[in-house]
Amino acid sequence: MKLLIAIVQDKDANRLSNEFIDKNIRATRLSTTGGFLKSGNTTFMIGVEENRVDEVLEMIKAASHTRQQFMTPPVNLDAQLDNTSSYPVEVQVGGATVFVLPVDQFHQF
């Protein structure tokens, strides 16, 4: 058995959650915040048999899209201000970060 910890952007979480339900994959959904933009994320904790890991990874990959977003960099008061310090920059967000961990024991009471 494996434990997958998948962090996806909130915009992709409902689609992925519905896909898990359709494929009879049990997942615990947690609201999380973090990352470069300190934006809302959803973390799924998924316990699956080892032979289903690739299937779940494909589902996560298909549901988690990258997209471009504009953000304004934080102002560093210690640095000398230049002309570009307050202009928004385009960054890539989304996608998924997935950790696959071995599970020594699994109990359901």
Side-chain angles (χ1 to χ4, degrees), residues 46-103:
I46 309 147
V48 295
E49 295 299 325
E50 199 161 339
N51 63 342
R52 293 193 79 187
V53 169
D54 289 337
E55 173 190 357
V56 174
L57 289 173
E58 284 301 316
M59 293 168 57
I60 294 168
K61 185 177 180 181
S64 305
H65 302 286
T66 58
R67 51 186 67 82
Q68 298 301 112
Q69 178 176 321
F70 284 95
M71 64 144 318
T72 303
V75 175
N76 182 352
L77 298 178
D78 293 333
Q80 190 174 30
L81 294 177
D82 61 7
N83 296 357
T84 62
S85 63
S86 63
Y87 291 108
V89 293
E90 190 172 28
V91 295
Q92 183 175 321
V93 297
T97 301
V98 183
F99 300 91
V100 180
L101 307 165
V103 174

